[in-house]
Amino acid sequence: MAKRNYVFASESVSEGHPDKVCDRISDAVVDTFLAADPHARVACETLATTNRVVLAGEVRGPDSIGAEQLISVARQAIRDIGYEQEGFHWKRVDIACHIHAQSADIAQGVDASGNKDEGAGDQGIMFGYACTETEQLMPAPIFYAHAILKSLAEARHSGAAPLLGPDAKSQVSLQYVDGKPVRATSVVVSTQHSASIEQAEVREIVRPHVLNVLPEGWMCGEDHFYVNPTGRFVVGGPDGDAGLTGRKIIVDTYGGAAPHGGGAFSGKDPTKVDRSAAYAARYLAKNVVAAGLAERCTIQLSYAIGVSRPLSVYIDTAGTGRVDEDKLSSVLQELMDLSPRGIRTHLGLNKPIYARTAAYGHFGRPCEPDGGFSWERLDLVDELRRAF
């Protein structure tokens, strides 16, 4: 039987965190290729350290997109985040591009040919999850951890918090009673700041952002509200700690409240099922919960490289389901083609919509008019209700 009374914590990191800088650059490269060719293939990795960025990976796309353009794209991404510091400045950072053509061996496994449909870009398992803890059908700890940092970033970009830097982390621990979150037991926020202010001033800059994000009455006691607990956070970003694409996969998904398949999202075009199938699994799980068929829903999909159909579709409603899970699995597969091509078509993924996903989570975000976050749609709810 599932535990009903407990404390659960999740963390988030800001767009200026070293790993998130790399995720943003890698996804900006993906967007650059998809804007030029919706069927481009991209696998881009980024390394960032003190005033240095290295791009590496494999692509198949227009020859007109060369190293100089990709270096410019990376530089603009750093500028958009807001890095103008001595150890990491968008103008002065040295950027090396080592992106080259995709392996023909991988391409032949993925490409459609003759009677063979397009295959998955890799083997692997992907998970999707939804629950009733928030209006966005996301686990509450990760949702509020993201929201705190997003609020701080908006204040920094608008000029309302000019003494804060781009690099930040948050961690929210929530008390659950009878399986429902009821309050925060602790909140941790570490944020880069100007050398002109001290820890106490940073604490008061951060406080209203936490209070505005958490539901009324949820704030933890003062002794459990930690802001920059080391006392000083002036040197940050890639100058303080090297960053890599794909190192914050739990931040990107459900904060540890649900399983993760292990594959990162950023830097990958949507033929890579690490990304597109994880989006599809979230889409299906969210519609199941929104339809009232379960309070919690975990979906696992598995694929083999070069094979178009999923090898398995697993559903677990953690004892909260109101319908038979085997029938639910069959109905979901009737409502959505879970081949790589079917997922991309259904969700409209062959678009330059990925740089915006690189920070503050890939899930629980509003759908956007140009197709961004299409996997958050609830357009299967009526069909699911009719099916049951």
Side-chain angles (χ1 to χ4, degrees):
M1 181 175 291
K3 195 172 182 180
R4 305 294 290 172
N5 300 309
Y6 54 92
V7 175
F8 191 85
S10 294
E11 72 156 346
S12 179
V13 297
S14 73
E15 65 200 67
H17 184 280
D19 296 328
K20 282 292 153 201
V21 171
C22 295
D23 285 346
R24 172 72 167 268
I25 292 170
S26 293
D27 275 338
V29 170
V30 172
D31 283 354
T32 299
F33 277 94
L34 292 179
D37 177 3
H39 301 289
R41 303 273 173 81
V42 184
C44 175
E45 309 294 342
T46 302
L47 160 71
T49 186
T50 302
N51 271 331
R52 185 176 297 274
V53 168
V54 179
L55 307 180
E58 306 79 45
V59 298
R60 189 174 75 183
D63 293 336
S64 59
I65 301 176
E68 287 306 311
Q69 182 176 351
L70 297 179
I71 289 170
S72 177
V73 165
R75 200 175 298 281
Q76 184 61 48
I78 297 166
R79 184 181 186 180
D80 290 344
I81 292 168
Y83 271 110
E84 295 184 346
Q85 299 171 4
E86 183 178 351
F88 199 70
H89 195 297
W90 66 270
K91 281 185 180 179
R92 296 192 298 270
V93 62
D94 178 55
I95 304 175
C97 182
H98 300 284
I99 291 174
H100 57 81
Q102 184 187 51
S103 160
D105 291 348
I106 292 177
Q108 73 175 0
V110 176
D111 291 345
S113 61
N115 293 325
K116 173 184 171 294
D117 194 8
E118 179 184 296
D122 201 351
Q123 73 174 48
I125 57 174
M126 300 84 207
F127 286 91
Y129 181 72
C131 63
T132 56
E133 291 180 16
T134 61
E135 289 183 11
Q136 294 75 14
L137 304 184
M138 285 288 289
I142 188 67
F143 179 79
Y144 294 124
H146 284 323
I148 290 167
L149 294 186
K150 197 164 191 298
S151 179
L152 286 168
E154 288 169 354
R156 177 174 59 84
H157 284 298
S158 72
L163 297 177
L164 298 185
D167 193 0
K169 300 179 77 171
S170 67
Q171 184 170 292
V172 175
S173 302
L174 296 185
Q175 175 74 53
Y176 283 72
V177 175
D178 197 25
K180 306 289 184 184
V182 296
R183 68 180 185 92
T185 59
S186 68
V187 175
V188 185
V189 179
S190 295
T191 179
Q192 191 180 15
H193 60 87
S194 166
S196 67
I197 59 174
E198 300 299 327
Q199 182 184 25
E201 295 171 84
V202 178
R203 184 183 186 89
E204 295 315 310
I205 293 172
V206 169
R207 185 188 302 276
H209 295 276
V210 177
L211 291 173
N212 290 339
V213 160
L214 292 177
E216 187 175 357
W218 278 37
M219 183 61 175
C220 62
E222 194 68 12
D223 289 347
H224 299 284
F225 177 42
Y226 303 96
V227 176
N228 286 7
T230 63
R232 181 177 169 86
F233 188 1
V234 174
V235 177
D239 185 28
D241 189 11
L244 291 169
T245 300
R247 284 206 298 194
K248 288 292 176 284
I249 58 176
I250 302 304
V251 171
D252 287 341
T253 54
Y254 308 103
H260 193 292
F265 302 156
S266 290
K268 299 175 182 178
D269 74 79
T271 66
K272 278 72 170 176
V273 284
D274 274 342
R275 178 167 226 157
S276 55
Y279 291 172
R282 160 65 178 175
Y283 169 69
L284 294 178
K286 185 177 182 182
N287 275 269
V288 166
V289 173
L293 305 185
E295 292 184 16
R296 283 189 283 165
C297 181
T298 301
I299 295 180
Q300 183 206 62
L301 306 175
S302 69
Y303 292 84
I305 188 167
V307 179
S308 64
R309 309 300 300 184
L311 306 184
S312 64
V313 179
Y314 165 83
I315 297 178
D316 179 15
T317 56
T320 70
R322 299 180 177 91
V323 298
D324 179 75
E325 290 174 352
D326 290 337
K327 182 181 178 183
L328 180 57
S329 176
S330 298
V331 168
L332 290 175
Q333 291 177 76
E334 291 170 6
L335 293 179
M336 185 178 186
D337 177 357
L338 290 173
S339 68
R341 186 202 302 272
I343 292 170
R344 294 201 318 278
T345 301
H346 191 106
L347 296 178
L349 298 181
N350 286 101
K351 298 174 183 177
I353 55 174
Y354 297 106
R356 70 195 73 169
T357 69
Y360 314 117
H362 292 244
F363 307 124
R365 308 275 291 272
C367 300
E368 297 181 347
D370 66 351
F373 302 101
S374 60
W375 47 92
E376 295 295 314
R377 298 191 318 238
L378 293 175
D379 52 355
L380 297 183
V381 167
D382 291 341
E383 291 180 87
L384 282 168
R385 286 173 176 164
R386 281 195 294 272
F388 290 95

